[in-house]
Amino acid sequence: MIDLNHNSGCQYEAPLRPPGIAAAIGRAIDSALLARHQAQPPRRYVSSSGLGRECLRQIQYDYLAVPKDEGRDFEPATLRIFEAGHRGEDVVAAWLRVAGFDLRTHRSDGRQFGFSGLGGRFRGHIDGCVVSGPAPMIFPALWENKAVGAGPWKEIVKRGVVVVRPVYAAQIALYQAYLDLPNPALFTALNRDTLELHAELVPFDAALAQAMSDRAVQVVRASDAEELLPRAAADRSAAVCRGGMSGGSYHGACSWQDRCWRAR
Ligand code: SF4
């Protein structure tokens, strides 16, 4: 008789999961994502999405498509997070629409709405524009969405996007100015871990939009003159270079730390 008692060691079914399948699938996806990322042509314009970063030199390196330091390009794990964030935008757009908002995200030809300045060397693309809907806000309003982890999401809920993520605030102000959408923008933040949604209205900050627009001009002009813009930090251990929190704001790690601090 088979002993079916606990601790008998009896196995009711043979294992159904071939060993190593998770690693094999993960490797296949990671190498495909990496290959796709590496095949993308470099961006040749100042992007509104990164213009609010503190360091002008970092923005300039990005604009000039200067190769990133060895080992500092995006890892597959980061590429997966980017893609999930991008798809999160579609999820939130669908939620807004089912709730009755008239949200426009693409032109009739399928392209995103956006703007271009400085002869195409300064560009931005918006997530969308809300034309009407069941909420006490003024229409039309710019819509900007971000998908973030639970930690930053809670911070945004507590202190607001303008304080916690100045880079997003700069992006919003630029879009409001260039797309002529001066009403308070609808900012939504999707919690990547719980799928909770935060929403807030961001008033138009004309001074911020002007300052960011001036920065774009400065980056393009300095690059034309082959002039390297100044660093935002006195040494490379600063949070703006190595990444982390400083002055209540988050900085991503700079991808050109070695190159920057090697330069005279
Ligand atoms: S390493 Fe620091 S100072 Fe240099 S470009 Fe990057 S952020 Fe700026």
Side-chain angles (χ1 to χ4, degrees):
M1 180 186 285
I2 303 171
D3 179 3
L4 297 176
N5 289 315
H6 184 60
N7 287 338
S8 68
C10 174
Q11 200 163 5
Y12 292 92
E13 289 179 347
L16 294 174
R17 299 184 299 178
I21 188 68
I25 298 283
R27 272 196 306 273
I29 290 174
D30 284 355
S31 62
L33 288 179
L34 209 50
R36 189 177 68 181
H37 170 65
Q38 287 164 350
Q40 278 169 355
R43 210 167 43 196
R44 295 285 181 189
Y45 57 87
V46 180
S47 168
S48 56
S49 61
L51 202 48
R53 286 175 290 183
E54 198 167 314
C55 184
L56 278 169
R57 183 177 294 192
Q58 187 185 34
I59 297 166
Q60 187 180 27
Y61 282 148
D62 208 358
Y63 165 59
L64 294 173
V66 171
K68 293 176 178 170
D69 293 345
E70 184 78 36
R72 286 197 218 278
D73 204 348
F74 296 129
E75 297 286 330
T78 309
L79 295 172
R80 276 188 260 136
I81 290 170
F82 283 168
E83 177 137 9
H86 191 60
R87 290 179 193 273
E89 192 180 304
D90 296 336
V91 170
V92 177
W95 288 347
L96 288 171
R97 287 186 176 120
V98 82
F101 289 90
D102 181 354
L103 171 64
R104 317 281 172 93
T105 51
H106 294 84
R107 298 175 193 276
S108 52
D109 60 5
R111 287 185 301 139
Q112 272 182 289
F113 297 104
F115 73 88
S116 174
L118 302 174
R121 293 187 290 174
F122 175 37
R123 294 188 214 171
H125 299 94
I126 68 169
D127 289 343
C129 175
V130 196
V131 176
S132 66
M137 54 185 282
I138 307 167
F139 300 102
L142 173 82
W143 173 58
E144 179 65 22
N145 180 75
K146 300 288 180 195
V148 295
W153 186 83
K154 284 181 187 154
E155 276 297 298
I156 291 171
V157 172
K158 195 167 145 194
R159 300 195 293 143
V161 65
V162 173
V163 174
V164 178
R165 285 291 191 274
V167 174
Y168 298 167
Q171 203 180 349
I172 290 168
L174 277 169
Y175 292 153
Q176 286 172 300
Y178 278 85
L179 275 294
D180 197 16
L181 291 167
N183 294 328
L186 175 63
F187 173 75
T188 50
L190 180 66
N191 184 328
R192 268 198 317 254
D193 302 306
T194 63
L195 295 191
E196 288 170 279
L197 189 68
H198 164 70
E200 64 181 83
L201 294 173
V202 182
F204 177 44
D205 184 338
L208 178 61
Q210 186 62 58
M212 291 300 116
S213 187
D214 292 347
R215 287 189 117 198
V217 173
Q218 193 179 357
V219 169
V220 169
R221 284 200 182 143
S223 304
D224 284 350
E226 297 186 11
E227 174 198 322
L228 191 58
L229 284 165
R231 301 180 179 107
D235 71 78
R236 66 179 299 168
S237 65
V240 67
C241 304
R242 62 177 165 71
M245 293 296 290
S246 146
S249 300
Y250 172 78
H251 305 275
C254 178
S255 302
W256 297 274
Q257 298 174 39
D258 299 335
R259 175 183 296 273
C260 171
W261 291 98
R262 262 200 320 264
R264 296 184 60 188

